Amino acid sequence: MNKVMKMGYSIRIAIPEDEQRIRELFIEMLQTIYHTEEVEGYESGCLNRYWTN
């Protein structure tokens, strides 16, 4: 697994098991940017292209 350590956090390639948390973080980001709870996340299947084998 490719992993880079930086000051207190690590960066790594996403795996399918990360999908739910990625979706949650995306929603949180949109809510913060637009100052509303009424936002839509990724479309179904949108993240599939990022998963490594």
Side-chain angles (χ1 to χ4, degrees), residues 10-48:
S10 64
I11 300 172
R12 64 173 174 77
I13 296 173
I15 57 175
E17 290 78 12
D18 296 328
E19 183 174 4
Q20 184 58 41
R21 187 60 185 137
I22 291 168
R23 289 180 178 282
E24 292 167 0
L25 289 170
F26 186 64
I27 292 289
E28 291 175 24
M29 178 186 71
L30 292 175
Q31 290 171 337
T32 300
I33 291 169
Y34 296 115
H35 305 287
T36 181
E37 297 289 315
E38 297 179 28
V39 296
E40 294 183 22
Y42 292 108
E43 294 179 12
S44 178
C46 181
L47 296 174
N48 291 343

Side-chain angles (χ1 to χ4, degrees), residues 4-11:
V4 177
M5 293 295 294
K6 299 278 184 178
M7 301 168 23
Y9 64 91
S10 64
I11 300 172

